[in-house]
Amino acid sequence: MNLNTLRALYLLILWDLNKMLRRAVFVAMRVIWFVIQVTVFGLALTAMVRLRGSLPVDVNYYEFYLLGIYTSMLFSISVSRAYDIAEEFEEGIVEYHLSLPISRRVFAVGRTIGGGIASFLFTLPMFAVVLWLLEDVNVEAVIISLSSALLFAMSITGFVLSIVLSLKSGDATDIMFGVLDSLLIRLSTVFYPAVVLSRYAPYLYVALVNPISHIADFLRTLFLFEEYRAIAIASPIAMASYILGLAVGFSSLAMYIVEKKVEGGGWR
């Protein structure tokens, strides 16, 4: 990889980061709403849910909820990149980027990494709130969880980039990602562990392949290992492999779509 390629990657990543910095007020509002969600609604939900006696181990549902809701926010913010990319396509910015003297592969990688980092940084204050509420955490778990969250954000951004540039339709983008965001969060282990979902087979089967379930449960095993490992959706190694494979797979898909399928114009 030569210096020109590295510079192009840097500028593409900087493009996404600058867009996030221009939304500082919006980020602050989302963080405030998140704090209200985990302190008011989270405590109310915990009071309504009774897990004791229904699980093979005793789980603190509030801690379970905190890591789940953070994962859902990370997913939603990463998916929202779809609307940014759709807007850029409509305004001709994507076509302009593709006309620059950089390879399409570099463009795909740069936008995937840049979008993933931007989404990750957007939710970083929320993660700090979760750590504060969890109280007893270790440095190793924090480092691994941050790395996993960043990989997950980049993988979702790669998926989003691939789909939006394939659809080339603002209406289709709105409908598809609106439905996808709502369904995948609800059909996951964000709110209920797999052992509870096992009572409803179709729900469980979707949760087993749902990437949100794997990142949420992986974070839980990092911070709540002794309490949660027996009821996680898979083993920690399997979940970590899933997250890594997701990042590689969706990044490769984005490169393929941009290199082989994307042409100028055609926005509907």
Side-chain angles (χ1 to χ4, degrees):
M1 187 176 291
N2 57 42
L3 289 177
N4 288 334
T5 299
L6 290 174
R7 183 173 183 275
L9 276 174
Y10 168 75
L11 292 175
L12 287 167
I13 293 171
L14 196 61
W15 170 267
D16 284 300
L17 294 181
N18 283 335
K19 290 188 70 173
M20 186 198 72
L21 291 175
R22 290 196 295 269
R23 298 175 179 174
V25 175
F26 179 68
V27 173
M29 291 174 61
R30 290 297 295 265
V31 172
I32 292 171
W33 170 245
F34 180 80
V35 172
I36 295 172
Q37 190 172 12
V38 297
T39 54
V40 179
F41 298 110
L43 291 172
L45 185 60
T46 301
M48 292 187 289
V49 174
R50 294 293 181 266
L51 290 180
R52 188 183 299 273
S54 63
L55 301 177
V57 292
D58 184 21
V59 173
N60 182 322
Y61 183 77
Y62 186 59
E63 294 177 338
F64 176 93
Y65 170 83
L66 286 176
L67 291 165
I69 204 67
Y70 164 73
T71 301
S72 70
M73 290 299 300
L74 179 62
F75 177 76
S76 295
I77 295 300
S78 300
V79 164
S80 70
R81 306 300 301 172
Y83 306 105
D84 292 335
I85 297 169
E87 183 180 353
E88 290 178 10
F89 209 121
E90 190 172 26
E91 294 175 352
I93 295 174
V94 170
E95 289 181 318
Y96 168 70
H97 284 167
L98 291 173
S99 71
L100 296 174
I102 58 175
S103 71
R104 291 186 169 216
R105 176 169 297 189
V106 171
F107 170 79
V109 173
R111 293 307 303 270
T112 297
I113 296 175
I117 293 175
S119 300
F120 169 75
L121 292 177
F122 192 116
T123 62
L124 200 55
M126 303 176 193
F127 187 75
V129 172
V130 170
L131 293 181
W132 176 65
L133 292 171
L134 287 175
E135 296 181 353
D136 187 19
V137 297
N138 64 72
V139 175
E140 184 179 356
V142 172
I143 293 173
I144 297 174
S145 62
L146 288 174
S147 302
S148 303
L150 178 58
L151 271 178
F152 179 75
M154 288 192 294
S155 66
I156 299 303
T157 302
F159 171 72
V160 162
L161 180 67
S162 304
I163 300 303
V164 174
L165 296 185
S166 297
L167 291 176
K168 290 187 178 181
S169 170
D171 292 338
T173 295
D174 289 341
I175 294 170
M176 178 175 180
F177 285 103
V179 172
L180 191 69
D181 187 23
S182 298
L183 282 181
L184 286 186
I185 289 175
R186 285 158 181 80
L187 298 176
S188 70
T189 60
V190 163
F191 298 109
Y192 303 105
V195 68
V196 173
L197 301 181
S198 62
R199 302 169 187 173
Y200 313 96
Y203 199 154
L204 176 64
Y205 296 148
V206 176
L208 287 173
V209 297
N210 192 332
I212 302 176
S213 297
H214 287 267
I215 182 65
D217 277 14
F218 183 66
L219 295 182
R220 287 166 180 146
T221 56
L222 288 174
F223 293 104
L224 315 171
F225 183 74
E226 293 301 328
E227 298 88 349
Y228 194 69
R229 60 177 176 172
I231 59 172
I233 203 163
S235 69
I237 294 178
M239 290 186 289
S241 299
Y242 186 100
I243 296 165
L244 180 59
L246 203 69
V248 173
F250 282 147
S251 297
S252 300
L253 176 64
M255 287 189 287
Y256 174 78
I257 294 294
V258 173
E259 283 188 313
K260 304 295 184 181
K261 302 294 183 180
V262 177
E263 299 295 339
W267 187 263
R268 298 187 293 276

